[in-house]
Structure formats: structure tokens, C-alpha cells
Amino acid sequence: NGDYRLVNTNEETLGAPVEIAMYPARSGAVANIQALMTAPQTPGDYVSRWQARTPEGNLFGATVFIRIHVEVPTATTGP
């Protein structure tokens, strides 16, 4: 039911909410979950980890993650 959540498990949310509602889907069905994230401005590697959580607070299923690599900006030259 709608009480299940996708929750951040490593405190690196990249600007997304700490938890995102998961809507009902049958086992084996394809479902879309959307989370708007923002890449940091500081160069480096960032990983945001997420996992499904039951209404009772138990984590289950595979960890979902996003990895972002922010490069040092390069100087551009004029025409």
C-alpha cells in the first residue's frame, strides 16, 4: 500500500527528500519512482543509496543507488 517508502540509507540525498512514497504494484510489475536530485557544485564522487521500507520500518529488497561524478570545470576560450 501507499505506506511503503523508498528511504535514503546513507545521508547523501543529493537534494531529494529523505523518503519517497512507493505506490502499490504487483510483484514482478514495472513501476516508476521519481526523485529530483541536484548534482553538487564541488568536484568529487557522490553516491546516494536507497532501499524500500515497510510501514513497520523494516528495510527489504535490493539497494538502489545513484553515483554522480562532478568534474573540475575547465576554462573555456573565446572565439
Side-chain angles (χ1 to χ4, degrees):
N1 64 37
D3 293 333
Y4 285 79
R5 302 279 190 253
L6 186 65
V7 296
N8 180 267
T9 59
N10 72 332
E11 299 181 12
E12 182 63 75
T13 63
L14 299 171
V18 176
E19 61 180 54
I20 301 164
M22 294 177 62
Y23 296 96
R26 294 192 183 275
S27 178
V30 175
N32 291 315
I33 299 171
Q34 181 176 341
L36 298 177
M37 298 181 177
T38 303
Q41 293 187 5
T42 305
D45 293 311
Y46 300 87
V47 177
S48 184
R49 290 184 175 83
W50 301 78
Q51 195 166 6
R53 185 184 71 200
T54 67
E56 296 77 32
N58 300 314
L59 298 175
F60 69 96
T63 299
V64 177
F65 69 94
I66 182 167
R67 177 174 290 150
I68 295 177
H69 174 75
V70 179
E71 294 189 1
V72 176
T74 57
T76 58
T77 58

